[in-house]
């Protein structure tokens, strides 16, 4: 990693723990900073805080006392999920104290190359595909996944060598807290309306996404989905070389699909039907990854190998198993309507859908067309259960049942299913009303499947 002196003997506040906060605190401590960690969870129930304290790092827990702002902090490194309306964050900005996120810190010490991937949907799959493809190169450094995919960027940046590449999934929350982060290749998969409770407006959300390219130059690349006039227009904000990708064949200047075949410029890559993971949205993800891989001179054979064998990211239209003719999929990462809509469109079989979760104030009428075309029955749960059920009724779904959570929904879905059906958890909502994160929700769903299929013993 790069030798960074800007934090030595400087007071730094790390606001919020979890993976990003833990790793940021440890890195800053290693860089010689006087680190204070502040987390709202009580100390006795906070093993992360206990561990940091044992490492000699100052820890304040149980709330966010405004008195912290009386300290002479040089910078605040905040957990991406903490909103800018938080009193400490707002107070720091008022005092002109820089507020950054952990990915910014990681980029400052990274000696290798940075590829950044953002968008409303498809980030995780695209990030994974790019990493797998880059690792098909011979006599090249290693590619690592990092960021919002669940691997702290600051941990990866410390081990990456100059010849390595850090392929980083960047959420809008993370991008709000960057200053100098500079991807050699930036990818925009798409932009829909989500996280408006955090950003306040769609305009602010789009601005946050576009920060991925703000430090790029003409020597860099901005890979952009060309299937929306809005996204094409946004690309003009970038100083980087634009490389389009298009499932609808709107440009042949980059990666595109034409007559069921995938191309990069004038080179045939493979047939779209040979991609192992289902759905038009995964064709888009594949095209984005192809564009990056070709920029990085990955052999076409290596690209084909990845797309023909990659079976999906955990919790993202993840195949779980087939039992008595029913095929189970885990799409717990579908935390918005568009993600669930895209997942449903990937199947020609009848779907028994498990959906519901955190109520962010929106309704689900936009999901009705996809429900009408693909869903035979629904099991709904969580804070939005009634709203999701209302969308199902609007779509003409006749079998709708309410359940306590996604685990109890599995046996209910089984009873409504028949051989040849898909049973899929694709909640269209965040998990925080009932689960700490979408990963735990997906894991609990899989365990419930194991019970239904007899592959797990009852406790």
């Amino acid at each position: 990693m790069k030798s960074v002196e800007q934090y030595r003997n400087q007071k730094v506040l790390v606001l919020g723990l979890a993976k990003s906060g833990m790793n940021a605190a440890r890195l800053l401590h290693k860089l010689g900073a006087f680190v204070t960690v502040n987390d709202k969870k009580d100390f006795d129930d906070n093993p992360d805080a206990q561990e940091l304290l044992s490492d000699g790092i100052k820890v304040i827990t149980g709330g966010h006392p405004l008195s912290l702002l009386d300290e002479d902090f040089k910078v605040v490194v905040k957990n991406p999920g903490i909103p800018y309306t938080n009193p400490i964050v707002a107070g720091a900005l008022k005092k002109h104290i820089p507020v950054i996120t952990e990915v910014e810190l990681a980029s400052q010490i990274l000696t290798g190359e940075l590829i950044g991937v953002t968008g409303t949907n498809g980030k995780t799959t695209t990030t994974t595909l790019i990493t797998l493809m880059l690792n098909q190169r011979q006599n090249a450094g290693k590619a690592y996944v990092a960021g919002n995919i669940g691997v702290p960027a600051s941990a990866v940046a410390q081990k990456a060598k100059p010849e390595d590449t850090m392929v980083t999934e960047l959420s809008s929350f993370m991008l709000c807290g960057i200053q100098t982060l500079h991807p050699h290749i930036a990818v925009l998969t798409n932009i829909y309306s989500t996280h408006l409770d955090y950003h306040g407006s769609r305009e602010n959300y789009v601005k946050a996404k576009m920060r991925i390219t703000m430090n790029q130059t003409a020597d860099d690349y901005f890979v952009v989905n060309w299937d929306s006039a809005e996204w094409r227009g946004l690309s003009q904000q970038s100083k980087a070389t634009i490389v389009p990708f298009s499932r609808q064949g709107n440009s042949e200047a980059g990666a595109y699909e034409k007559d069921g075949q995938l191309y990069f410029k004038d080179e045939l890559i493979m047939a779209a039907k040979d991609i192992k993971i289902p759905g038009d949205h995964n064709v888009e993800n594949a095209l984005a990854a192809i564009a990056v891989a070709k920029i990085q001179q990955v052999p076409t054979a290596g690209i084909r190998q990845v797309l023909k064998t990659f079976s999906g990211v955990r919790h993202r239209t993840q195949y779980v198993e087939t039992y008595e003719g029913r095929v189970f999929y885990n799409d717990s990462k579908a935390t918005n309507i568009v993600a669930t809509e895209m997942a449903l469109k990937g199947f020609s079989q009848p779907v028994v859908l498990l959906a519901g979760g955190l109520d962010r104030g929106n309704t689900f009428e936009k999901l009705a067309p996809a429900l009408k075309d693909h869903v035979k029955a629904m099991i709904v749960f969580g804070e939005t259960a009634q709203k999701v059920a209302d969308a199902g009724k609007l779509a003409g779904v006749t079998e709708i049942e309410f359940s306590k959570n996604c685990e109890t929904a599995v046996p209910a879905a089984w009873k409504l299913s028949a051989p040849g059906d898909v049973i899929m958890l694709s909640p269209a909502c965040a998990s925080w009303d009932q689960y700490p994160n979408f990963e735990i929700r997906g894991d609990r769903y899989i365990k419930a499947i194991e019970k239904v299929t007899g592959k797990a013993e009852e406790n």
Side-chain angles (χ1 to χ4, degrees):
M1 72 179 198
K2 288 180 183 174
S3 176
V4 175
E5 294 295 321
Q6 68 195 77
Y7 298 109
R8 186 171 300 281
N9 298 325
Q10 299 292 330
K11 297 175 76 173
V12 180
L13 174 63
V14 175
L15 191 63
L17 278 173
K19 290 180 182 178
S20 66
M22 282 285 287
N23 282 274
R26 285 190 169 128
L27 173 57
L28 288 161
H29 187 61
K30 184 186 291 188
L31 294 173
F34 300 122
V35 182
T36 298
V37 172
N38 176 222
D39 192 66
K40 67 180 180 181
K41 189 185 291 185
D42 289 336
F43 185 78
D44 290 342
D45 299 320
N46 199 329
D48 289 345
Q50 295 169 21
E51 193 173 327
L52 290 175
L53 184 64
S54 69
D55 292 341
I57 295 173
K58 182 179 178 181
V59 174
I60 299 172
T61 59
H64 297 306
L66 287 173
S67 57
L68 278 171
L69 292 173
D70 296 333
E71 304 239 12
D72 187 24
F73 289 116
K74 179 181 180 180
V75 66
V76 174
V77 182
K78 80 171 189 70
N79 182 289
I82 296 175
Y84 286 82
T85 53
N86 176 281
I88 289 185
V89 177
L93 292 172
K94 190 173 182 179
K95 286 175 170 280
H96 304 290
I97 301 170
V99 177
I100 65 173
T101 48
E102 179 254 356
V103 290
E104 169 70 13
L105 183 63
S107 72
Q108 293 169 0
I109 65 161
L110 179 68
T111 58
E113 194 166 78
L114 175 64
I115 294 174
V117 181
T118 198
T120 303
N121 295 311
K123 298 185 296 295
T124 300
T125 298
T126 302
T127 298
T128 306
L129 286 171
I130 290 168
T131 305
L132 293 170
M133 289 177 185
L134 294 185
N135 283 327
Q136 293 286 319
R137 295 178 297 181
Q138 301 295 318
N139 303 316
K142 183 174 176 59
Y144 296 94
V145 295
N148 195 56
I149 201 167
V151 182
S154 55
V156 175
Q158 289 181 68
K159 68 180 180 181
K161 299 181 176 66
E163 64 270 22
D164 294 338
T165 304
M166 188 168 77
V167 187
T168 311
E169 179 183 334
L170 296 167
S171 70
S172 60
F173 299 173
M174 291 174 169
L175 288 168
C176 283
I178 67 167
Q179 296 177 340
T180 61
L181 183 143
H182 180 170
H184 176 51
I185 303 174
V187 180
L188 177 65
T189 60
N190 47 59
I191 298 182
Y192 299 103
S193 293
T194 190
H195 299 309
L196 302 191
D197 54 336
Y198 184 100
H199 293 287
S201 68
R202 190 178 193 280
E203 180 183 8
N204 290 341
Y205 175 58
V206 171
K207 285 180 179 178
K209 288 294 190 188
M210 289 302 294
R211 289 173 67 83
I212 195 171
T213 188
M214 70 180 187
N215 295 317
Q216 289 191 296
T217 70
D219 294 328
D220 301 314
Y221 298 90
F222 189 28
V223 175
V224 182
N225 191 328
W226 221 242
D227 288 340
S228 161
E230 179 193 23
W231 309 334
R232 294 195 294 270
L234 288 172
S235 72
Q236 301 310 305
Q237 297 178 20
S238 178
K239 296 176 182 177
T241 299
I242 305 300
V243 180
F245 68 93
S246 172
R247 186 178 59 80
Q248 300 172 11
N250 288 324
S251 174
E252 297 184 2
Y256 59 96
E257 179 181 1
K258 182 178 180 181
D259 299 327
Q261 303 292 319
L262 306 185
Y263 294 84
F264 184 77
K265 298 184 177 178
D266 57 354
E267 181 187 0
L268 174 64
I269 305 297
M270 63 185 289
K273 66 178 178 59
D274 291 336
I275 299 174
K276 187 167 185 179
I277 45 178
D280 289 343
H281 60 298
N282 281 319
V283 174
E284 293 182 7
N285 298 334
L287 289 169
I290 288 168
V292 175
K294 278 298 179 181
I295 292 168
Q296 296 290 78
Q297 299 182 328
V298 176
T300 299
I303 294 172
R304 288 194 196 112
Q305 173 68 16
V306 169
L307 292 176
K308 287 182 177 182
T309 58
F310 176 64
S311 58
V313 175
R314 189 169 178 81
H315 308 298
R316 168 53 84 198
T317 323
Q318 172 200 356
Y319 169 74
V320 180
E321 68 171 280
T322 300
Y323 181 71
E324 293 188 4
R326 286 82 160 174
V327 187
F328 289 89
Y329 282 88
N330 167 27
D331 195 36
S332 184
K333 201 174 189 296
T335 57
N336 58 67
I337 292 170
V338 175
T340 295
E341 180 184 30
M342 289 181 170
L344 289 172
K345 288 180 177 179
F347 296 100
S348 57
Q349 309 98 306
V351 177
V352 179
L353 176 67
L354 286 63
L358 182 72
D359 192 345
R360 281 178 156 155
N362 58 290
T363 55
F364 294 83
E365 291 92 343
K366 291 181 180 178
L367 190 57
L371 296 176
K372 181 179 180 180
D373 291 342
H374 299 277
V375 173
K376 66 174 280 187
M378 297 171 63
I379 315 296
V380 296
F381 51 85
E383 291 179 353
T384 60
Q386 186 60 58
K387 290 182 177 181
V388 177
D390 290 343
K393 292 174 185 174
L394 182 65
V397 179
T398 56
E399 293 186 288
I400 301 174
E401 293 190 9
F402 288 75
S403 194
K404 182 181 177 181
N405 52 44
C406 79
E407 296 138 271
T408 58
V410 172
W414 174 259
K415 290 177 182 177
L416 294 178
S417 68
D421 290 348
V422 166
I423 298 175
M424 179 169 65
L425 170 67
S426 188
C429 301
S431 61
W432 302 320
D433 59 331
Q434 295 182 314
Y435 303 94
N437 51 53
F438 71 82
E439 293 97 336
I440 289 176
R441 177 171 63 186
D443 289 341
R444 299 270 180 85
Y445 168 68
I446 292 172
K447 286 187 179 297
I449 293 170
E450 290 172 349
K451 289 183 179 180
V452 165
T453 60
K455 295 192 176 182
E457 294 183 1
E458 295 285 349
N459 293 324

